[in-house]
Amino acid sequence: MFLYILGLVAFWFVFRWYRELARVPNKGQKYVYITGCDSGFGNLLARHLDKLGFRVIAACYTEKGEDELKKVSTERLNTVHLDVVSTDSVSKATAFIKTLVGEKGLWAVVNNAGVSVPSGPCDWMTVDDYKSMLDVNLIGVIGVTLSVLPLIKKARGRVVNVASVFGRISAFGGPYCVSKYGVEAFNDSLRMNMSFFGVKVLCLEPGFFKTSVTDLHLLRKNVKTLWDKLPEEIKDQYGHDYPERANVTLEKNVATLLDGDLMKVVSCMEHAISAVHPRTRYSPGWDAKFLWLPLSYLPTWIADKMLLKDMAKPTGSIL
């Protein structure tokens, strides 16, 4: 019986591998709109797809990002300024894309832009802290998607949303996990709605990768900024040495998990865009596959216990 089950599992993986080899034709006629192309995953994906022959529309937040990308790309790649928080900026980018793609429509949008701070214990946060991140990581994703959805429906194309494995499990406090849970929900509801129109909606759930949003200097600065704004009552509850202890824990846990091979994520993005039969979800990174996702399926009391043992404890903790 065991060998029978093992054989079925092996057959399934071989079948899936073979099925996923096929790629869409006419790449040179397909436009792909990518947000957050100044650096990291977005920048690498824009260059990678350009080399594969896609017509890339790379949205950058800065003029420097646009200039640097143009220097290393072919004439097929177009850049556009985009601030996903600004409705006016999103509208201008959409108008540019409509002119560019014409009647062909837009093959894919990749919602890659995002931020990771402020992050910290929930009682360190204000409503404005939550709003600032949700505006980028969630409302930005929704706004960009809706702005080009008619063009994607015309091409029967793809929507690729970059969420996070922390849209499946909340391993720390603050608005980041909240925003990524929201992306997951938007992705799932959109996938069902768009299936009637032949549009595929795919989700990436990466683990920890070495990018600007996981930079340890940025994360340490984030801890200090939040701590300096706290009232004395909360500082007393956590202990005045808490920032130092939190940074030690941060460096120990994050530095251990960081994966420097960004192509693991970019390859999943490319597959979601170019495969005839893409996956509904991708979980790039060993920590996503073998640590965080398994944790998310455990009973809550077990998962919480495992997560809490690696956190810096407040002085006033009862645990």
Side-chain angles (χ1 to χ4, degrees), residues 37-55:
C37 291
D38 295 83
S39 62
F41 301 133
N43 186 277
L44 276 177
L45 178 64
R47 288 187 280 153
H48 183 61
L49 292 182
D50 182 48
K51 287 177 183 175
L52 291 178
F54 283 95
R55 294 192 171 275

Side-chain angles (χ1 to χ4, degrees), residues 44-218:
L44 276 177
L45 178 64
R47 288 187 280 153
H48 183 61
L49 292 182
D50 182 48
K51 287 177 183 175
L52 291 178
F54 283 95
R55 294 192 171 275
V56 177
I57 306 166
C60 297
Y61 184 67
T62 64
E63 190 175 326
K64 180 183 177 184
E66 291 186 62
D67 292 340
E68 293 296 322
L69 196 50
K70 285 176 182 176
K71 289 176 185 176
V72 294
S73 305
T74 69
E75 292 180 356
R76 283 189 305 271
L77 183 141
N78 287 274
T79 62
V80 62
H81 169 72
L82 179 68
D83 177 0
V84 298
V85 173
S86 166
T87 304
D88 183 56
S89 179
V90 171
S91 297
K92 285 179 180 177
T94 304
F96 171 75
I97 292 166
K98 282 181 180 177
T99 304
L100 199 62
V101 305
E103 291 302 312
K104 294 186 183 73
L106 181 65
W107 175 249
V109 60
V110 182
N111 286 303
N112 167 72
V115 294
S116 62
V117 294
S119 284
C122 295
D123 56 344
W124 289 22
M125 300 290 159
T126 65
V127 171
D128 287 339
D129 290 328
Y130 277 84
K131 285 180 178 178
S132 67
M133 187 176 288
L134 290 170
D135 280 345
V136 178
N137 290 4
L138 178 56
I139 305 302
V141 168
I142 295 170
V144 168
T145 301
L146 296 181
S147 73
V148 294
L149 201 53
L151 299 174
I152 292 172
K153 287 166 73 176
K154 184 180 289 188
R156 293 189 177 181
R158 313 277 168 90
V159 177
V160 182
N161 293 314
V162 181
S164 167
V165 73
F166 299 112
R168 293 286 202 99
I169 182 169
S170 293
F172 44 87
Y176 185 80
C177 296
V178 176
S179 70
K180 294 303 182 180
Y181 269 80
V183 172
E184 293 272 356
F186 174 65
N187 182 88
D188 290 350
S189 58
L190 186 68
R191 185 183 66 249
M192 290 188 291
N193 295 157
M194 289 300 105
S195 62
F196 296 112
F197 303 99
V199 172
K200 290 181 169 64
V201 181
L202 308 317
C203 189
L204 268 78
E205 302 168 340
F208 277 113
F209 281 85
K210 197 171 184 179
T211 67
S212 58
V213 299
T214 56
D215 178 67
L216 286 174
H217 174 72
L218 172 73

